[in-house]
Amino acid sequence: MKIYGVTGWKNAGKTGLMERLVTEITGRGITVSTVKHAHHTFDVDHPGKDSHRHRVAGATEVLLASRNRFALMHELRDEAEPTLEELLSKLMPVDLVLVEGYKRDRHPKVEAFRAETGNDLIAPGDPTIRAVASDTPMELDRPVFDLDDTKAIADFILTEVGL
């Protein structure tokens, strides 16, 4: 599996870019999975539902399945947060895994950037950021794409990973 990331500060446009890239790349017949890092506690389950009750009762893993999808929830309890590499090993094989977040990991990335957030670019100090997708023109030592030019960004990523 090929791995490529989309990173950036909060409200930089990462999730919108990820969504557009998945649509663009899968539209070309390439299989894609995604990994999203959350910096906060989150839950995909609902109190009172059977699967939630199983977890609260102490189950380490709960697999919830229907004819349309399945979800595996793993409670870390006192375990360390899994590394990106460990999480990737749990995915079924696809052509490309797009990773949102994981700024400090060493996979290649595109940085999403919006000037209005007031944050500095990450790219100048990070060689794993191979390009920037920005809402404002800028000159850098690597490619800069318009944040909304999904086709060009997808072309760049697919060329980078050899797809």
Side-chain angles (χ1 to χ4, degrees):
M1 290 189 302
K2 309 292 186 176
I3 314 298
Y4 216 91
V6 173
T7 195
W9 299 113
K10 183 178 179 180
N11 297 320
K14 298 180 301 292
T15 301
L17 179 56
M18 285 279 292
E19 181 180 11
R20 294 188 312 272
L21 285 170
V22 170
T23 300
E24 175 70 26
I25 294 169
T26 58
R28 299 180 188 193
I30 296 169
T31 57
V32 176
S33 288
T34 65
V35 174
K36 161 76 171 113
H37 189 260
H39 291 282
H40 46 80
T41 301
F42 70 93
D43 205 337
V44 295
D45 210 355
H46 303 285
K49 295 293 185 182
D50 294 349
S51 53
H52 187 268
R53 292 171 62 190
H54 296 180
R55 286 179 32 229
V56 170
T60 299
E61 290 189 327
V62 177
L63 195 142
L64 179 61
S66 74
R67 65 182 176 159
N68 295 321
R69 71 189 54 88
F70 73 87
L72 176 62
M73 292 169 279
H74 180 99
E75 287 296 314
L76 293 176
R77 310 233 186 255
D78 293 326
E79 299 172 44
E81 180 178 348
T83 65
L84 177 57
E85 186 175 322
E86 290 168 328
L87 294 171
L88 291 170
S89 74
K90 297 180 182 303
L91 295 176
M92 293 183 62
V94 292
D95 299 320
L96 176 64
V97 178
L98 291 173
V99 177
E100 182 178 342
Y102 290 93
K103 284 183 200 74
R104 292 168 188 84
D105 283 76
R106 304 316 302 160
H107 58 281
K109 304 168 193 76
V110 169
E111 179 179 356
F113 179 80
R114 281 196 181 127
E116 69 185 26
T117 66
N119 293 312
D120 291 333
L121 272 175
I122 301 167
D126 187 342
T128 68
I129 296 176
R130 311 275 296 143
V132 172
S134 175
D135 67 348
T136 184
M138 59 180 66
E139 297 224 4
L140 288 176
D141 62 348
R142 61 202 86 192
V144 177
F145 298 97
D146 184 290
L147 184 57
D148 293 323
D149 193 351
T150 307
K151 182 183 180 313
I153 299 166
D155 289 343
F156 176 80
I157 290 171
L158 294 175
T159 299
E160 284 267 295
V161 298
L163 291 173

